């Protein structure tokens, strides 16, 4: 809240269509640490602690900041827009701040203080997108850096989390369906770690701490959805876990925050957002339904025990601050200028019935004064993998499209996580085709209820969302006029059979193992976009790929594009004169990042493609876009 008050005058006086992305910052003691220009600075006088230009990186930015308990050191993870590689710097805080150390390829990192009042930095080392090693380092006169833990199973990923009260550092070892957590005593970090519960296939759990008790968010037991359990910190094994709080059916746990006397759960239930405030003294529960326009949470780093601040956002509305005050037992929203989009647009929540009768939620946005929606362009979004929600954070280009008359539809198909863990389970491995059936049902329902028509419908996805989009283009291309894909996963079979790729072993729980399981292999062949290309009519397709993308290798995207063009050419030859072949565009961007959200060049190219393929006038859309993007 202090950080917000610092920029409030600027926010209240600037035009509403402008917005600012706040970089990583953290409050510790009486200071706020944040990025200003190309420097890591510390308030109150914007003291420069480190100039990022010393790293000789192209447009570096600070991804996250951690301050040592006694503020003797500050560590910051630094990245660039065109790479997933990161560098962790450690700066000694003194009259003349000094760069103490620099570690490459750091994923997560946290500080603790040992019995000798010495600051210890724990960090994980990432190599080829795999994170298996934990290190600990000290600085000053007693400088050392040693490997502390190595995970032997290549299908698991390791990350660090410091409990809210800083009492324990947790080592979290996870794959897509199973986890294991070790505790490092924040008062004795050199002691051997304590295992909470050995990994059990299919059991996920996360740990917080308060007053010598562990609060465990886990899916153990029936139903296999997340529930909150607790146990004494000195008896952490699973047989001692007591059920504390259960979620309603069709609920996704987005996050959990722990306070002195309260536990706050951030939830998505039946496609609407809620906050549950649990009183730990009396086990009371207060459930707050949040505004219907809200589609996502943005969590704030917070050290104030009296308040729980967070932000709400939607694809067409910039984030808005809210604070739950425990003493008053009320939720307060940021006051000031109300975004006009709340009056000029509508948000609808509908359901489509899939082939097997499952009801699939959709979130739809359009202008309130739109007439004859059947003649308006429609942009459909989908993901449906890894139990992850479809991204619904604010994107200025989506706001511009709605202002220009577009309908936006977000289809929360199986394989994603919007309705909980079972929703994911029903769309992975040999149930992947459920997600395709859901997507097809969503688009048909939209058309059937008067939202646009096939000739004005476009479909967009990134990364693993490309699997469902590519499959729909093969099996029912007449539902669409155009498609935009970014870093799409299109060759599932060949990728999952190549164990030399960085993520193949980690992804076996999602897609299956076609190398050793014939059932998995045959099932993947049924839906894999690359494997099912055939001579037929296809929608126009624009693909953005990244030259050095380690997650989705460029080779697979190029092979898909070439095979698709060959099939279209064969279809055109068989059809004869007069057939208009669709445009297939592969736009290869430099860099090694997986997805670059804020690339103005990419955004402009995709919007230009959509307007041209749907035969729309783009005169005003680019003028409006300039209000949001700094060209």
């Amino acid at each position: 809240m202090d950080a917000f008050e610092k920029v409030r005058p600027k926010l209240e006086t600037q035009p509403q269509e402008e917005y600012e992305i706040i970089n990583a910052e953290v409050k510790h003691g009486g200071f706020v640490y944040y990025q200003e220009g190309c420097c890591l600075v510390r308030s109150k006088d914007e003291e420069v602690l480190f100039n990022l230009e010393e790293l000789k990186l192209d447009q570096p930015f600070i991804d996250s900041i951690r301050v040592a308990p006694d503020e003797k050191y500050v560590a910051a993870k630094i990245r660039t827009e065109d790479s997933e590689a990161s560098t962790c710097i450690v700066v000694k805080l003194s009259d003349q701040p000094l760069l103490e150390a620099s570690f490459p390829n750091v994923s997560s990192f946290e500080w603790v203080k040992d019995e000798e009042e010495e600051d210890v930095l724990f960090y994980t080392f990432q190599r080829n997108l795999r994170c298996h090693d934990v290190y600990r380092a000290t600085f000053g006169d007693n400088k050392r850096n040693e490997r502390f833990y190595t995970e032997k199973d290549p299908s698991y990923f390791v990350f660090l989390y410091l409990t809210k009260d800083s009492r324990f550092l947790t080592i979290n070892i996870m794959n897509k369906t199973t986890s294991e957590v070790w505790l490092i005593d924040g008062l004795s970090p050199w002691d051997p770690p304590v295992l909470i519960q050995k990994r059990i296939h299919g059991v996920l759990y996360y740990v917080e701490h308060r007053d010598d008790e562990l609060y465990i968010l886990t899916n153990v037991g029936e139903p296999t959805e997340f529930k909150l359990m607790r146990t004494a910190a000195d008896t952490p094994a699973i047989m001692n876990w007591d059920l504390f709080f259960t979620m309603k059916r069709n609920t996704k746990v987005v996050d959990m925050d722990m306070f002195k006397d309260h536990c706050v759960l951030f939830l998505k239930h039946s496609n609407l957002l809620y906050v549950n405030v649990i009183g730990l003294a009396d086990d009371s529960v207060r459930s707050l339904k949040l505004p219907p326009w809200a589609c996502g949470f943005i969590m704030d780093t917070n050290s104030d025990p009296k308040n729980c601040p967070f932000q709400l956002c939607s694809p067409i509305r910039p984030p808005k601050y809210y604070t739950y005050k425990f003493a008053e037992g009320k939720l307060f929203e940021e006051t000031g200028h109300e975004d006009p989009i709340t009056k000029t647009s509508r948000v609808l929540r509908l359901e489509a019935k899939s082939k097997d009768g499952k009801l699939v939620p959709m979130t739809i946005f359009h202008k309130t004064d739109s007439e004859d929606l059947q003649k308006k362009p429609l942009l459909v979004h989908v993901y449906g993998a890894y139990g992850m929600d479809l991204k619904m954070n604010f994107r200025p280009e989506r706001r511009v499209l709605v202002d220009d008359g577009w309908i936006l539809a977000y289809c929360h198909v199986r394989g994603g996580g919007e309705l909980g863990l079972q929703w994911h389970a029903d769309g992975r491995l040999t149930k992947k085709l459920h997600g395709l059936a859901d997507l097809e049902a969503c688009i048909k329902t939209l058309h059937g209820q008067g939202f646009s028509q096939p000739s004005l419908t476009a479909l967009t996805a990134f990364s693993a969302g490309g699997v469902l989009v590519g499959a729909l283009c093969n099996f029912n291309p007449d539902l669409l006029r155009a498609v935009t894909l970014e870093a799409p996963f299109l060759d599932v079979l060949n990728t999952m059979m190549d164990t030399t790729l960085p993520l193949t072993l980690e992804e076996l729980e999602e897609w299956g193992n076609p190398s050793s399981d014939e059932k998995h292999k045959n099932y993947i062949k049924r839906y894999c976009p690359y494997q099912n290309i055939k001579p037929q009519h296809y929608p126009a397709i624009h693909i953005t790929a990244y030259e050095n993308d380690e997650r989705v290798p460029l080779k697979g995207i190029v092979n898909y594009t070439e095979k698709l063009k060959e099939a279209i050419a064969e279809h055109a030859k068989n059809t004869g004169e007069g057939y208009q072949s669709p445009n297939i565009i592969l736009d290869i961007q430099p860099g090694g990042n997986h997805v670059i959200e804020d690339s103005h060049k990419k955004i402009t190219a995709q919007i230009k493609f959509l307007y041209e393929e749907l035969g729309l006038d783009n005169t005003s859309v680019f003028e409006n876009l300039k209000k949001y993007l700094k060209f």
Side-chain angles (χ1 to χ4, degrees):
M1 295 306 292
D2 290 345
F4 174 67
E5 290 299 330
K6 188 175 65 177
V7 299
R8 180 191 288 276
K10 182 177 179 181
L11 291 173
E12 290 180 345
T13 56
Q14 69 183 8
Q16 184 62 30
E17 64 266 14
E18 295 181 6
Y19 76 103
E20 182 178 10
I21 298 296
I22 305 298
N23 288 319
E25 63 177 39
V26 63
K27 184 177 180 181
H28 192 100
F31 297 99
V32 178
Y33 297 78
Y34 58 97
Q35 181 176 346
E36 182 67 34
C38 60
C39 295
L40 170 63
V41 301
R42 176 171 63 172
S43 65
K44 301 174 182 176
D45 300 319
E46 293 193 351
E47 175 190 8
V48 174
L49 303 178
F50 182 74
N51 189 331
L52 274 58
E53 292 180 346
E54 293 182 27
L55 298 176
K56 301 189 184 315
L57 299 172
D58 183 28
Q59 297 182 327
F61 67 91
I62 297 176
D63 180 83
S64 51
I65 301 169
R66 298 289 186 270
V67 184
D70 288 337
E71 291 193 83
K72 295 178 183 177
Y73 300 95
V74 59
K77 187 169 79 169
I78 298 166
R79 293 182 49 210
T80 65
E81 282 287 358
D82 64 352
S83 174
E84 292 195 57
S86 61
T87 298
C88 180
I89 60 164
V90 177
V91 176
K92 184 177 182 180
L93 300 174
S94 59
D95 292 338
Q96 295 293 326
L98 176 69
L99 179 64
E100 183 78 17
S102 175
F103 304 113
N105 302 316
V106 169
S107 178
S108 57
F109 60 109
E110 298 287 354
W111 290 100
V112 295
K113 186 169 63 174
D114 68 11
E115 305 92 321
E116 306 297 325
E117 300 294 306
E118 186 173 41
D119 294 313
V120 185
L121 180 70
F122 286 79
Y123 65 93
T124 55
F125 178 76
Q126 182 169 307
R127 182 188 294 111
N128 296 328
L129 302 180
R130 296 174 180 173
C131 199
H132 295 148
D133 296 320
V134 183
Y135 286 77
R136 56 187 173 191
T138 56
F139 310 95
D141 296 334
N142 187 26
K143 184 176 292 188
R144 58 181 146 173
N145 184 31
E146 62 186 26
R147 188 166 59 181
F148 170 68
Y149 174 89
T150 296
E151 172 57 35
K152 301 296 185 182
D153 190 328
S155 69
Y156 282 76
F157 186 93
V158 181
F159 71 93
L160 304 175
Y161 172 73
L162 188 66
T163 58
K164 186 72 177 290
D165 60 3
S166 301
R167 182 64 180 82
F168 291 102
L169 176 67
T170 63
I171 302 177
N172 300 268
I173 305 152
M174 298 185 64
N175 66 15
K176 298 292 188 285
T177 61
T178 305
S179 63
E180 177 178 286
V181 181
W182 294 74
L183 290 181
I184 295 174
D185 192 329
L187 302 177
S188 305
W190 301 104
D191 289 351
V194 175
L195 174 64
I196 292 183
Q197 173 58 47
K198 186 178 180 180
R199 64 194 73 171
I200 302 171
H201 182 73
V203 173
L204 293 165
Y205 68 99
Y206 307 88
V207 177
E208 257 295 356
H209 176 265
R210 169 192 171 270
D211 285 353
D212 296 325
E213 286 189 316
L214 300 178
Y215 287 79
I216 302 168
L217 194 62
T218 179
N219 68 332
V220 69
E222 293 294 335
T224 54
E225 298 289 349
F226 278 121
K227 50 194 75 72
L228 192 58
M229 308 184 88
R230 62 182 171 187
T231 184
D234 58 359
T235 56
I238 195 168
M239 71 280 294
N240 301 309
W241 297 1
D242 293 325
L243 184 62
F244 178 57
F245 183 78
T246 57
M247 316 299 164
K248 293 180 180 178
R249 187 171 169 271
N250 292 336
T251 297
K252 162 74 176 275
V253 180
V254 179
D255 210 338
M256 179 176 77
D257 204 352
M258 188 66 67
F259 296 84
K260 183 177 182 296
D261 297 315
H262 298 87
C263 175
V264 180
L265 294 170
F266 299 87
L267 308 173
K268 182 180 288 185
H269 172 65
S270 296
N271 206 21
L272 291 168
L273 300 187
Y274 292 79
V275 167
N276 278 12
V277 181
I278 305 173
L280 299 178
D282 57 6
D283 292 351
S284 62
V285 180
R286 181 154 190 218
S287 184
L288 304 171
K289 186 177 180 179
L290 298 173
W293 64 262
C295 300
F297 294 101
I298 300 175
M299 303 305 163
D300 275 24
T301 55
N302 172 46
S303 57
D304 183 355
K306 298 178 181 179
N307 302 313
C308 177
F310 58 91
Q311 298 175 67
L312 297 177
C313 64
S314 90
I316 63 172
R317 178 170 175 162
K320 185 173 184 178
Y321 280 87
Y322 287 77
T323 302
Y324 185 84
K325 297 189 176 183
F326 297 116
E328 290 91 335
K330 293 181 180 179
L331 184 67
F332 294 84
E333 66 177 290
E334 165 202 343
T335 58
H337 182 69
E338 186 67 23
D339 194 317
I341 197 72
T342 57
K343 295 182 179 179
T344 61
S345 70
R346 292 184 66 192
V347 55
L348 304 172
R349 286 176 170 83
L350 304 178
E351 291 179 322
K353 182 176 284 190
S354 196
K355 287 180 180 178
D356 60 357
K358 280 285 185 182
L359 296 177
V360 184
M362 299 181 288
T363 309
I364 300 159
F365 303 89
H366 67 84
K367 287 181 72 173
T368 53
D369 60 358
S370 288
E371 297 179 359
D372 200 357
L373 290 172
Q374 196 169 19
K375 295 181 180 179
K376 299 296 183 183
L378 167 66
L379 183 60
V380 179
H381 301 69
V382 72
Y383 187 70
Y386 305 120
M388 293 174 58
D389 291 5
L390 184 56
K391 290 185 74 172
M392 299 190 71
N393 56 316
F394 173 64
R395 297 302 313 158
E397 64 272 21
R398 300 299 186 240
R399 166 83 164 250
V400 169
L401 291 179
V402 169
D403 287 341
D404 205 41
W406 282 70
I407 305 164
L408 304 185
Y410 291 76
C411 303
H412 310 293
V413 304
R414 280 174 284 185
E418 287 87 346
L419 297 184
L421 296 176
Q422 191 59 47
W423 197 247
H424 171 220
D426 286 344
R428 69 181 184 94
L429 296 176
T430 55
K431 296 182 179 179
K432 271 291 170 189
L433 284 169
H434 284 163
L436 177 60
D438 293 352
L439 176 59
E440 189 172 355
C442 285
I443 297 175
K444 288 180 177 179
T445 298
L446 289 166
H447 292 162
Q449 295 196 15
F451 294 99
S452 195
Q453 54 188 287
S455 63
L456 290 172
T457 297
L459 180 56
T460 186
F462 75 96
S463 193
V467 173
L468 298 184
V469 174
L472 186 66
C473 289
N474 286 330
F475 298 125
N476 202 342
D478 293 336
L479 287 176
L480 309 167
R481 177 67 186 87
V483 167
T484 65
L485 295 169
E486 184 172 4
F489 188 27
L490 296 165
D491 190 357
V492 182
L493 183 62
N494 289 322
T495 300
M496 294 309 298
M497 293 186 73
D498 186 353
T499 56
T500 65
L501 295 174
L503 295 180
T504 296
L505 294 176
E506 280 187 32
E507 311 252 305
L508 295 177
E509 294 282 349
E510 180 70 22
W511 310 100
N513 190 345
S515 296
S516 62
D517 191 318
E518 197 67 21
K519 180 183 176 182
H520 287 170
K521 183 176 183 179
N522 291 332
Y523 191 84
I524 291 173
K525 283 181 177 180
R526 291 172 59 188
Y527 68 81
C528 175
Y530 178 77
Q531 299 294 327
N532 289 281
I533 293 173
K534 52 184 174 286
Q536 65 173 15
H537 178 72
Y538 279 88
I541 301 176
H542 183 286
I543 301 174
T544 305
Y546 298 95
E547 196 172 26
N548 300 311
D549 189 341
E550 293 183 87
R551 294 183 181 273
V552 180
L554 181 61
K555 178 183 176 182
I557 298 175
V558 171
N559 290 344
Y560 171 87
T561 306
E562 291 176 351
K563 185 176 180 181
L564 181 62
K565 287 182 176 179
E566 291 173 1
I568 290 171
E570 184 178 345
H571 177 66
K573 181 180 178 181
N574 295 337
T575 305
E577 292 184 16
Y579 176 72
Q580 183 66 43
S581 295
N583 290 317
I584 307 297
I585 299 171
L586 175 56
D587 179 13
I588 300 175
Q589 299 281 330
N593 210 338
H594 181 47
V595 173
I596 303 177
E597 280 197 340
D598 293 311
S599 167
H600 299 169
K601 181 180 177 183
K602 176 205 74 177
I603 291 169
T604 304
Q606 290 177 346
I607 290 180
K608 182 174 182 288
F609 171 81
L610 290 175
Y611 272 75
E612 288 178 352
E613 292 301 328
L614 272 62
L616 306 174
D617 181 7
N618 63 16
T619 305
S620 61
V621 68
F622 288 110
E623 287 301 317
N624 291 333
L625 198 58
K626 288 178 183 177
K627 296 177 183 178
Y628 296 90
L629 303 179
K630 298 172 183 176
F631 282 91

